[in-house]
Amino acid sequence: MGANSSSISELPENEYLKKLSGAEPISENDPFWNQLLSFSFTTPTNSADLKLLEEATISVCKSLVEKNPRTGNLGSLIKVFLSRTKELKISAECQNHLFIWQAHNALFIICCLLKVFISRMSEEELKLHFTYEEKAPGSYGTECEDLIEELLCCLIQLIVEIPLLDITYNISLEAVTTLIVFLSCQVFHKEILRESIIHKYLMHGRCLPYTSRLVKTLLYNFIRQERSPPPGTHVFQQQTDGGGLLYGIASGVATGLWTVFTLGGVGSKPPPQLEQCSPLANQSLLLLLVLANLTDAPDTPNPYRQAIMSFKNTQGFTAYSSSNPHAFQINFNSLYTALCEQQKCDQATLLLYMLLHQNTNVRTYVLARTDIENLVLPILEILYHVEERNSHHVYMALIILLILTEDDGFNRSIHEVILKNINWYAERVLTEISLGSLLILVVIRTIQYNMTRTRDKYLHTNCLAALANMSAQFRSLHQYAAQRIISLFSLLSKKHNKVLEQATQSLRGSLGSNDSPLPDYAQDLNVIEEVIRMMLEIINSCLTNSLHHNPNLVYALLYKRDLFEQFRTHPSFQDIMQNIDLVISFFSSRLEQAGAELSVERVLEIIKQGAVALPKDRLRKFPELKFKYVEEEQPEEFFIPYVWSLVYNSAVALYWNPHDIQLFTMDSG
């Protein structure tokens, strides 16, 4: 067959494609369609070959765009596909490989053409191309059905109704891909689309009743992680009795075709191994995220988001009833397992965020799990490898932690889960540590990374909010976690002093010169003081609520007591320093009474005894530290570009020219 590039580059010269895009109208009953849908070419297997395929498709499309208004061949192709899908379910049950293969090829051609059409014309022009019919005598006055709605509805039916077998895997995948392509108009616009023809079709009319079934099927595709069938298997049994010319051609090219949709991802950073394992799971998740983030119509909230917000557990004890027409039930145990296993990729983390934030049934279920570490550990690993992740993935992971820490039960239970040998944590060997202490270590490490590298205030705020939510329930903190809390305070203290010194010197230097504008040290100082205040509040919250449970924190506090001296009289911190000062003074005097040269064990023993003796009424009460995650106004401005960047970077066998992308800036990495 030759190299991929040569076989793909020959596509524009393929006689069947030339006829499809030519000047001659082809009726739906023409034998041509059988011939067209039986041709094959060597499968593209990387983004370079996918780019060649795109370029080859463009030349066919140019001709089709020009001729289609007179021939209506695009409409004929779609009608041929629609007529064949009516028999798909029976074909799957009867193992009619040839029929499914040809229907799949028809959809593949439609998808390739659509992708180019959508990237090069408005939705209004696209809609027109779906209405063109052959200009023949007697064709006027015939009923003109809405082919776009027909095709969209057919694709959804195909996804939700065709059983997932080896012989139907690729046509199911292609149906999901074609829906993504239909919605890809957004990628070619800088602004968020709020009025879209395709959105209207999906949110109203014939597609609407399938909403919950589509969401449920896409979720189950993600949960099941079905692998693509091995190339060449379960497609055609070799015919020995002369199965006819067409069948013979088909069996000869089947192996090449079958692998067409088991390609790796495109874009600059494909997620490791996900799409190779299960292209259908990956593509289904991406489509689900795209649908869930469509903007609400003026008269209707997004039904796909409503379905995601309201689905329930199949194992629930209450009778299933819901006022939401898009509600459904799904197995939460299977969903939880899939979410735990798939957090290595952005899109699974984004799905987890959406479910925790928007679906109270899922959030309640997750917080009640007794194996919460299976979910939290992969999230912590994302944060630990912060320098290898994109900022959006890190944000999502952090917000998930923030949402979880809003629950006091979670904050208590994480200190009861003891972990052994955390291999990915490289700074120190952690042979035994509680999940709570590990969470604190990773969040503090993220703050320190942010202080030295990205200096992102949003990241700081969420990290500190999560620590603050947990602080009243800190229990039996690992000595290393206690040390890191105080070390972070030490780092902030040094930074505070440095900025203060720079501000003073700058002010002195500026007295004799009016030429250069002053750096905004006041703002820097303000930000650092806010963070220091928050850290003092976190330490204070732990001391006032659970001092007797945290001897290691008291030990670390005493060991670095000089750090806090400068803040005792500072007007921004005086109030919050009272309790910390009292604790330091109380335990310092007890240690002095015990004599010099005390071992670590003896110091901890004195602290534990002192914790019982410390009069709690002497500690001043402060309002409870509690932060709740709230989405910013117009969240779509963040989420829609993010979701489409994930589609661009990790969708299976989908390539868009990076120069055409308007919605987000391209990743150069």
Side-chain angles (χ1 to χ4, degrees), residues 227-248:
R227 292 169 178 266
S228 54
T233 21
H234 312 298
V235 186
F236 294 98
Q237 300 304 314
Q238 196 64 43
Q239 294 287 297
T240 51
D241 56 351
L245 174 65
L246 182 62
Y247 205 93

Side-chain angles (χ1 to χ4, degrees), residues 294-344:
L294 297 179
T295 53
D296 294 336
D299 53 341
T300 324
N302 178 345
Y304 301 96
R305 190 182 302 125
Q306 284 192 309
I308 283 172
M309 287 169 71
S310 58
F311 69 83
K312 296 183 178 180
N313 191 359
T314 50
Q315 299 166 316
F317 297 109
T318 52
Y320 178 65
S321 66
S322 176
S323 56
N324 184 337
H326 307 300
F328 61 91
Q329 288 180 291
I330 205 164
N331 185 312
F332 277 19
N333 184 52
S334 306
L335 177 62
Y336 181 80
T337 303
L339 287 167
C340 292
E341 289 173 353
Q342 299 301 323
Q343 285 308 309
K344 58 184 175 287

Side-chain angles (χ1 to χ4, degrees), residues 336-337 339-345 349 352 356 366 370-386 389 393 397-398 400-401 404 410 414 417-425 430-443 446:
Y336 181 80
T337 303
L339 287 167
C340 292
E341 289 173 353
Q342 299 301 323
Q343 285 308 309
K344 58 184 175 287
C345 73
T349 308
L352 175 58
L356 287 175
V366 166
T370 55
D371 60 348
I372 193 73
E373 67 274 14
N374 291 342
L375 189 69
V376 175
L377 281 170
I379 298 298
L380 294 183
E381 222 175 322
I382 293 166
L383 291 177
Y384 184 80
H385 297 294
V386 58
R389 305 286 178 179
H393 199 184
L398 257 181
I400 286 165
L401 287 185
L404 293 172
F410 171 83
I414 53 174
V417 177
I418 304 301
L419 308 165
K420 308 272 187 185
N421 300 317
I422 307 301
N423 298 324
W424 47 263
Y425 195 94
L430 299 173
T431 50
E432 189 172 290
I433 190 169
S434 73
L435 180 61
S437 288
L438 181 65
L439 200 159
I440 292 164
L441 283 175
V442 172
V443 171
T446 308

